[in-house]
Amino acid sequence: MGYIAPTLSAEWGIHKQDLGPVLSAALLGLSLGALIAGPVSDRMGRKRVLVFSCLFFGLASLGTAWAQSLNTLTLWRFLTGLGLGAAMPNAITLISEFAPQRCRAMAINTMYCGFPLGAAGGGAISSWLIPHHGWRSVLLTGAIAPLILTVLLALLLPESVKFLVQRGKDVAQVRRIASRFSRSTLESVTGFFLAEEKAASKKGSVGQLFSMPWLPGTLMLWVTYFMGLVIYYVLLSWMPTLMQGMGYALAESAWLTSLFTFGGTAGILLAGWMMDRWEAHKVVAGGFVLTMGLILLLGLEHNHIALFGGLIFLMGIAMNGAQSGMQTLAATFYPTECRATGIAWMQGIGRFGGVAGTMTSAQLLSMQWQADSILMILSVPALVAAAATVYKMLYSRSQEPGVA
């Protein structure tokens, strides 16, 4: 929506801050979709939820393209977010449960690269589509891919072997899927077991998040993800508008915004590579500290477009790398029986940070705040995110066997 917001505002004769509810509706849908889908996935399976979610947000995107008012646009964006919010944590859970431990972070982050690449590609496609076919064409194009993907997922995607074993499913079904990834024959295998301790808690997947020893780590994951998405969605949703407020033309604003998302791709891959080799919490915390410093520099220096673009690219690396690393921290923190719920609820609760960020930015713009001041205030959530990650690292260490 950030890319079509200026054109949409001009066509409908509305102020840019009037789009705050529209931008926030999708984030609210993302939150609720994740909160609902996580427990369902831990009970019914990752594949079923993922396929249905992909179909749902594809159809909702089609509806968004034909909206005729702010109210209907807001409703369709909410429904789109609902489906997408359900899909994302299940995709991450599937990757984490199939990937080997030695390269799990890299596997999760490689998949997660689709997020910034899609955003960057959306900017490039939007810059061509909007002048030639109008803003609705962007939404129509964005609906085609998930509908095609739904068919491919239904036909080709296997269910998580860890989920099937944990739920005590038929051995033949597990063997059939596992044989696709094994170099040796599994015909003689008569049983499969998880290489993790089964949780002693009799609570459901949601209840486990609020029981010991997971509660402190759960809260820190939520705080970090919340603060990270305050930063991310302010930048993603409002950066073109903020850049224009700094004196840049629309074409320059779109180009500068795309640098953030392109930098994000490099940052995500770099973070995944680093997290497989060093302490994952330190990589994430360091990314947020670097983000804080770059945000302060952006607020101070925006008169030289080359330097400004370079800082935005570096911030894309640091911010996206740190935020993507949260998926691995959550996936490796929770056991199989509540992993999808843990990842989904981290994302769901954290998405309210995106809602808070976009709504607060809209309010600050209506109060005539300068763009550089809005940018600089984002250094506060970056600092909080870094501190929460460090706290979780210390807590996780205290729970390790042999640590007093």
Side-chain angles (χ1 to χ4, degrees):
M1 286 299 295
Y3 294 114
I4 69 174
T7 305
L8 175 62
S9 300
E11 181 179 316
W12 285 6
I14 58 178
H15 298 291
K16 54 193 176 184
Q17 57 265 29
D18 293 333
L19 289 175
V22 178
L23 298 172
S24 297
L27 298 179
L28 180 60
L30 285 167
S31 298
L32 294 179
L35 294 176
I36 295 170
V40 174
S41 175
D42 278 327
R43 179 174 295 272
M44 297 182 61
R46 287 65 161 116
K47 177 179 178 176
R48 290 180 181 178
V49 176
L50 182 58
V51 170
F52 178 79
S53 302
C54 197
L55 174 64
F56 189 89
F57 78 77
L59 294 175
S61 296
L62 284 176
T64 307
W66 302 112
Q68 300 296 324
S69 67
L70 274 176
N71 288 336
T72 55
L73 184 65
T74 301
L75 174 62
W76 281 115
R77 290 299 293 170
F78 170 77
L79 293 175
T80 302
L82 199 65
L84 187 58
M88 290 179 63
N90 278 282
I92 293 168
T93 302
L94 267 172
I95 290 290
S96 70
E97 291 180 345
F98 273 121
Q101 183 176 357
R102 67 180 183 277
C103 60
R104 184 168 295 142
M106 190 62 176
I108 293 173
N109 282 23
T110 299
M111 183 275 295
Y112 202 74
C113 277
F115 198 52
L117 282 177
I125 294 171
S126 299
S127 65
W128 183 85
L129 281 176
I130 293 175
H132 292 85
H133 303 287
W135 59 269
R136 296 181 191 275
S137 63
V138 176
L139 299 172
L140 285 171
T141 302
I144 294 173
L147 293 177
I148 295 175
L149 183 60
T150 299
V151 178
L152 297 176
L153 291 175
L155 294 175
L156 304 175
L157 182 69
E159 180 56 274
S160 165
V161 170
K162 285 189 176 181
F163 168 80
L164 294 174
V165 174
Q166 190 272 326
R167 299 294 292 183
K169 298 298 182 180
D170 182 59
V171 172
Q173 180 185 4
V174 177
R175 184 167 53 233
R176 184 171 60 254
I177 297 174
S179 63
R180 297 167 59 178
F181 308 98
S182 176
R183 295 180 179 178
S184 58
T185 180
L186 301 178
E187 291 300 325
S188 60
V189 177
T190 59
F192 293 87
F193 305 93
L194 292 177
E196 62 182 39
E197 293 185 12
K198 186 174 179 59
S201 175
K202 300 298 183 181
K203 300 179 180 179
S205 59
V206 175
Q208 283 186 250
L209 306 186
F210 297 96
S211 62
M212 298 301 289
W214 296 289
L215 178 59
T218 292
L219 295 178
M220 291 303 101
L221 286 171
W222 289 4
V223 169
T224 305
Y225 209 76
F226 183 99
M227 294 299 172
L229 289 188
V230 168
I231 303 168
Y232 185 85
Y233 276 102
V234 168
L235 296 176
L236 192 65
S237 299
W238 291 107
M239 188 176 285
T241 302
L242 293 174
M243 297 303 99
Q244 291 182 65
M246 290 179 170
Y248 293 105
L250 176 60
E252 293 175 330
S253 300
W255 175 74
L256 288 169
T257 303
S258 68
L259 287 176
F260 176 77
T261 49
F262 279 122
T265 304
I268 290 172
L269 293 175
L270 178 61
W273 181 84
M274 294 175 67
M275 291 174 73
D276 282 327
R277 287 158 176 79
W278 297 292
E279 167 58 63
H281 294 85
K282 292 181 179 179
V283 174
V284 172
F288 281 119
V289 170
L290 186 56
T291 297
M292 178 184 66
L294 290 168
I295 286 174
L296 294 174
L297 288 175
L298 280 172
L300 296 172
E301 174 54 64
H302 52 79
N303 295 319
H304 301 88
I305 189 169
L307 177 58
F308 193 59
L311 291 174
I312 290 176
F313 182 77
L314 290 175
M315 187 170 65
I317 293 176
M319 176 65 224
N320 285 276
Q323 193 68 14
S324 66
M326 295 301 299
Q327 324 306 321
T328 298
L329 292 186
T332 54
F333 180 65
Y334 296 108
T336 300
E337 58 261 38
C338 66
R339 181 171 294 119
T341 300
I343 296 172
W345 276 56
M346 178 190 73
Q347 292 189 352
I349 298 298
R351 295 287 175 193
F352 288 105
V355 176
T358 54
M359 294 297 290
T360 301
S361 297
Q363 183 63 31
L364 293 177
L365 286 169
S366 68
M367 294 169 60
Q368 306 301 314
W369 272 51
Q370 296 298 312
D372 53 357
S373 299
I374 296 176
L375 281 175
M376 292 184 71
I377 204 172
L378 293 178
S379 62
V380 176
L383 178 60
V384 174
T389 304
V390 171
Y391 181 89
K392 181 186 175 299
M393 177 183 69
L394 297 176
Y395 172 77
S396 296
R397 286 181 178 177
S398 70
Q399 298 301 305
E400 293 175 358
V403 177

